[in-house]
Amino acid sequence: TVGAQIDEVIRLHTGMSRKQRLDRVEALMDQVKLDPTRVSYKSYPHLLSGGQRQRVMIAMALAAEPDF
């Protein structure tokens, strides 16, 4: 699921607990303007539009907390 994909990045790059990671995933999805009524943690990528998939990828990139 898209939530698991974002969560994996956070798990690999931070020392957050599971609850913190779930909160962070929700915050990232909100940050990239993914509508929670259409895209949730449990959504599968093949069911999303191209633009929604791009937003998920942006959330994954931001999850690693890169230095700009």
Side-chain angles (χ1 to χ4, degrees), residues 19-68:
K19 173 66 173 135
Q20 290 172 319
R21 291 193 322 261
L22 292 176
D23 291 341
R24 179 74 174 135
V25 168
E26 185 178 310
L28 285 165
M29 291 176 76
D30 184 54
Q31 185 178 353
V32 297
K33 306 286 190 238
L34 283 168
D35 181 5
T37 62
R38 304 184 91 170
V39 181
S40 73
Y41 187 94
K42 296 180 180 183
S43 297
Y44 289 96
H46 68 277
L47 299 176
L48 304 180
S49 71
Q52 290 169 327
R53 287 184 217 167
Q54 288 178 346
R55 290 172 188 266
V56 169
M57 293 301 296
I58 293 167
M60 290 173 68
L62 292 173
E65 299 179 3
D67 293 329
F68 286 104

